[in-house]
Amino acid sequence: MLHLVNKSPYSSSSLDSCLKFATKGAPIILFEDAIYGAMAGTSLESKMIEVMKDHPVYAIKEDLMARGVNNIIPGVREIDYTGFVELVEQHRPCTWS
Amino acid sequence: MSEPTKMMFMMRKAPYGTIYSFEGLEAVLVMGAYEQDISLLFVDDGVYAIKKGMDTSPLGIKDFSPTFRVLDGYDIDKLYIDKESMEARGLTLDDFVVEPEVLDKEQIAKLMEEQDVVFPF
């Protein structure tokens, strides 16, 4: 299952709930405001590094750019919306909004 | 006839602050007519949607919680609740208008993986 998160981890429980139920190995895409979770040098960075031990984490390039976030945590994979669609084609999506 | 689709409706929002919970319930009722394999999961603030003792009359809006009790009549009897979400909110099974099966996060993760589709509300 592919987990899609679009809310800021600072204002919403979406990412936490996603992580609670995501099985090991399930990929996670951060898009829209959720990309703030991919930013380096934050209070969430160490948590995200732990998360990436169990899950591939993707962040949408267009959303990073739009928000001026160019320092992402090493290991987070940047993809564009075309890549997003490709992942959705390969997995059953589950949205955490 | 083809195999029924396994679909889970995941309720994650409290009932009256947003329209999600109500819309989720409507979607469940619609899908109930198509004889699919439907399950309904209450997680996070979604557990408040089935709380007993609601009186929305001061707000002038409809209390839709009783509708959860008729789902059984539409053969929608797979209701689940996240143990952690329920306990964190100081709720027990006695607090709900229906009797969902209490599952821990591992059981829910497994159940979700078995679905053909998960609809978030």
Side-chain angles (χ1 to χ4, degrees):
Chain A
M1 189 153 266
L2 171 68
H3 296 276
L4 310 175
V5 183
N6 76 335
K7 295 287 186 290
S8 164
Y10 300 101
S11 66
S12 160
S13 63
S14 293
L15 180 63
D16 283 334
S17 296
C18 159
L19 294 172
K20 184 165 135 184
F21 299 120
T23 50
K24 198 174 160 116
I28 298 168
I29 299 183
L30 306 177
F31 69 112
E32 296 173 1
D33 287 347
I35 62 93
Y36 291 116
M39 192 171 154
T42 68
S43 60
L44 277 176
E45 181 167 359
S46 56
K47 176 179 171 171
M48 290 310 293
I49 289 169
E50 282 302 307
V51 168
M52 283 189 285
K53 289 178 182 170
D54 285 336
H55 306 276
V57 174
Y58 300 87
I60 300 297
K61 193 178 175 185
E62 290 90 331
D63 290 322
L64 291 164
M65 287 171 66
R67 289 162 182 78
V69 175
N70 50 22
N71 52 331
I72 63 169
I73 301 165
V76 173
R77 307 173 195 190
E78 248 184 85
I79 53 168
D80 58 17
Y81 269 103
T82 308
F84 186 126
V85 173
E86 283 166 6
L87 281 169
V88 170
E89 279 177 341
Q90 291 160 17
H91 303 82
R92 285 161 302 137
C94 180
T95 305
W96 302 87
S97 55
Chain B
M1 215 177 122
S2 59
E3 283 284 295
T5 303
K6 284 179 82 75
M7 44 180 76
M8 171 182 275
F9 290 80
M10 178 171 65
M11 313 292 251
R12 286 190 55 236
K13 303 278 198 281
Y16 303 109
T18 67
I19 196 80
Y20 287 96
S21 182
F22 179 65
E23 298 256 307
L25 178 59
E26 291 213 310
V28 169
L29 286 167
V30 169
M31 288 319 298
Y34 292 92
E35 297 182 351
Q36 302 300 318
D37 184 347
I38 295 174
S39 53
L40 189 50
L41 170 67
F42 300 93
V43 174
D44 294 340
D45 282 351
V47 303
Y48 290 131
I50 47 172
K51 194 175 174 317
K52 269 183 196 164
M54 293 184 193
D55 177 7
T56 57
S57 58
L59 297 181
I61 54 176
K62 187 178 159 65
D63 168 10
F64 58 87
S65 62
T67 313
F68 286 101
R69 298 169 61 179
V70 307
L71 292 176
D72 202 38
Y74 293 82
D75 289 332
I76 300 166
D77 51 9
K78 294 178 185 170
L79 271 57
Y80 305 101
I81 190 163
D82 171 39
K83 186 168 188 283
E84 223 172 82
S85 302
M86 178 178 86
E87 291 179 352
R89 287 163 182 77
L91 300 171
T92 67
L93 279 180
D94 291 336
D95 293 306
F96 301 121
V97 294
V98 286
E99 260 189 68
E101 186 180 342
V102 181
L103 301 181
D104 63 27
K105 61 182 179 182
E106 286 80 17
Q107 291 171 306
I108 290 172
K110 184 169 175 287
L111 192 64
M112 287 178 72
E113 285 294 333
E114 291 167 3
Q115 302 301 314
D116 294 312
V117 58
V118 178
F119 296 111
F121 283 97

